Amino acid sequence: MNLSQRARIRAGDTAAFGQLFEDHAHEVYRHVVRSSGSWSAAEDVVSLTFLEAWRLRAKLRPEGDSVLPWLLGIATNVLRNTRRTARRHAAALIRLPPAEAMPDFADEIVNRLRDSEQLAAATAALARLRPAEREVFTLCVWSGLDYAQAAEALDVPIGTVRSRLSRARTKLREMTAHVPGPREPGAGSGQELGGRTGMARSNQERNR
């Protein structure tokens, strides 16, 4: 994204912001799906992310290469807020009487179920990490940000990104040492979460 486009977004140009959505909505969606483990929830989070990006458009840096780290940083904050809301909602539901069981028609969609099982397995492993480690892992490994971009997205020093990512990889190796790792949905790079192939490497490390 060139400087004039950034300036137009900062100034509230709706056409420039619409192009921003066209350019990056899919990448934000993929990041949120991987982080949340839910396709349906991801749609809401993406909508909230771009609404928040519009509200915070004046805070977009006037210079830089890609605006994606800024968007993924906003998405990460939205995910944090939705998780807190979900926990409060779940606590409220516990106090309600049990509802009548309804049939799960998703079982009829074989391919979607297979992807859901793979995504659930990866999400379950990541859920055992500390939130800060999980966020760095999803940004660097699954969404392909380098250390500097992840630091920008999370508003932390690069050294913090490095140490959190190292801890996350170590923990995931220990958790998945003897279990073949599921391929992440839609990936064409052959990355796996665990197993004999080892942990996926960030774009920065692969290019060294």
Side-chain angles (χ1 to χ4, degrees):
M1 171 174 289
N2 58 42
L3 296 182
S4 63
Q5 288 175 304
R6 283 177 174 259
R8 288 168 58 199
I9 291 172
R10 285 167 53 88
D13 187 318
T14 56
F17 194 82
Q19 187 61 50
L20 176 73
F21 181 87
E22 291 294 327
D23 292 342
H24 296 295
H26 182 66
E27 292 167 292
V28 174
Y29 178 79
R30 284 171 61 86
H31 171 71
V32 174
V33 167
R34 292 159 172 168
S35 299
S36 67
S38 171
W39 280 273
S40 58
E43 295 176 358
D44 293 335
V45 172
V46 170
S47 297
L48 290 172
T49 295
F50 280 93
L51 285 173
E52 188 71 356
W54 175 255
R55 187 179 72 83
L56 299 174
R57 61 190 182 277
K59 295 186 177 182
L60 175 63
R61 294 180 181 178
E63 57 185 20
D65 296 326
S66 173
V67 77
L68 183 60
W70 179 67
L71 287 173
L72 294 185
I74 294 174
T76 299
N77 287 330
V78 172
L79 279 166
R80 290 173 186 162
N81 293 334
T82 55
R83 287 187 179 117
R84 284 194 291 266
T85 300
R87 286 195 294 268
R88 289 195 295 267
H89 181 66
L93 288 178
I94 292 175
R95 297 190 291 269
L96 297 177
E100 181 180 354
M102 298 296 290
D104 184 3
F105 295 105
D107 290 343
E108 300 175 6
I109 310 175
V110 178
N111 290 333
R112 182 64 173 268
L113 179 60
R114 182 181 302 115
D115 289 344
S116 296
E117 290 171 346
Q118 294 173 346
L119 181 60
T123 302
L126 291 175
R128 297 173 64 184
L129 299 177
R130 295 176 58 191
E133 296 165 350
R134 182 169 59 246
E135 290 168 358
V136 167
F137 183 89
T138 56
L139 286 170
C140 290
V141 177
W142 275 351
S143 292
L145 299 191
D146 60 27
Y147 294 133
Q149 291 173 326
E152 177 187 345
L154 297 173
D155 194 23
V156 298
I158 291 179
T160 300
V161 171
R162 289 178 180 272
S163 60
R164 289 178 182 176
L165 184 58
S166 177
R167 288 196 301 269
R169 284 176 169 151
T170 298
K171 291 179 181 179
L172 288 172
R173 286 192 189 100
E174 293 171 353
M175 287 187 285
T176 61
H178 305 294
V179 180
R183 293 175 63 86
E184 59 96 357
S189 63
Q191 294 181 348
E192 294 187 3
L193 188 61
R196 286 178 293 180
T197 58
M199 298 303 300
R201 300 295 181 186
S202 67
N203 284 353
Q204 185 181 60
E205 292 180 331
R206 287 198 303 270
N207 293 331
R208 286 181 179 177

